[in-house]
Amino acid sequence: KKSCSNSLLMRKIVILFFLLVYHANAFAGGHITQADKEEAIKCLGHYTAITFIPANEVEAIQIEYALASFKIAKAYLLNEKVKEDEINKGTIEELDKLIGKPFNTARNDECNSFIYKLIPGSKADIEKLRGTLK
């Protein structure tokens, strides 16, 4: 009888362990809302479009910020368990809408504000990374 109760206790411990591991993994990433994910991906398209603007039509610093912002935002999305294919597809869709258009200061400010709010510490990270892209 004692070995039967020990076996049952062991099963319960093993099940509890797996449930804890599952929940820990479930919350390791994936906290982003659908709306935030979509907006972040649109901002990736915006940042990518900036890099296609002719050099005489945009300041080099804007391109540096766009590249750094893209890198930080994409890394965040990947960490949040957004599939790379989904990120790439959405980025290209937004890029297709924006390519060939001039630098949009208002949209750039919107994306920057959004990313800074969405990703803790991103403003400092982008500034730091931008400095290495010269």
Side-chain angles (χ1 to χ4, degrees):
K1 246 184 174 178
K2 191 166 187 150
S3 76
C4 185
S5 68
N6 283 345
S7 175
L8 187 58
L9 179 62
M10 195 60 167
R11 274 193 209 148
K12 287 180 179 179
I13 290 171
V14 169
I15 290 170
L16 181 61
F17 173 76
F18 282 113
L19 287 173
L20 289 173
V21 169
Y22 170 77
H23 285 291
N25 286 336
F27 292 105
H31 299 103
I32 192 168
T33 67
Q34 182 68 26
D36 284 348
K37 176 177 72 171
E38 289 171 4
E39 183 61 23
I41 291 172
K42 284 182 180 179
C43 286
L44 291 179
H46 165 76
Y47 292 135
T48 303
I50 292 170
T51 66
F52 285 93
I53 298 173
N56 63 336
E57 295 177 21
V58 66
E59 294 179 40
I61 195 167
Q62 297 297 349
I63 295 171
E64 291 174 9
Y65 273 107
L67 291 169
S69 298
F70 179 92
K71 184 170 183 163
I72 298 294
K74 184 171 183 181
Y76 173 80
L77 289 172
L78 291 171
N79 187 56
E80 288 296 310
K81 310 290 189 240
V82 179
K83 293 187 182 340
E84 189 155 16
D85 288 347
E86 182 179 2
I87 295 169
N88 293 341
K89 182 177 183 264
T91 299
I92 291 168
E93 286 173 2
E94 189 67 12
L95 175 61
D96 285 345
K97 296 175 192 173
L98 301 173
I99 201 148
K101 295 188 176 173
F103 182 75
N104 183 335
T105 303
R107 179 63 178 146
N108 197 60
D109 291 346
E110 288 170 12
C111 278
N112 292 342
S113 294
F114 174 77
I115 295 299
Y116 297 158
K117 183 178 172 191
L118 180 67
I119 307 169
S122 60
K123 187 172 187 173
D125 291 343
I126 289 166
E127 185 64 40
K128 215 180 312 176
L129 183 59
R130 182 206 64 80
T132 67
L133 296 173
K134 294 178 183 178

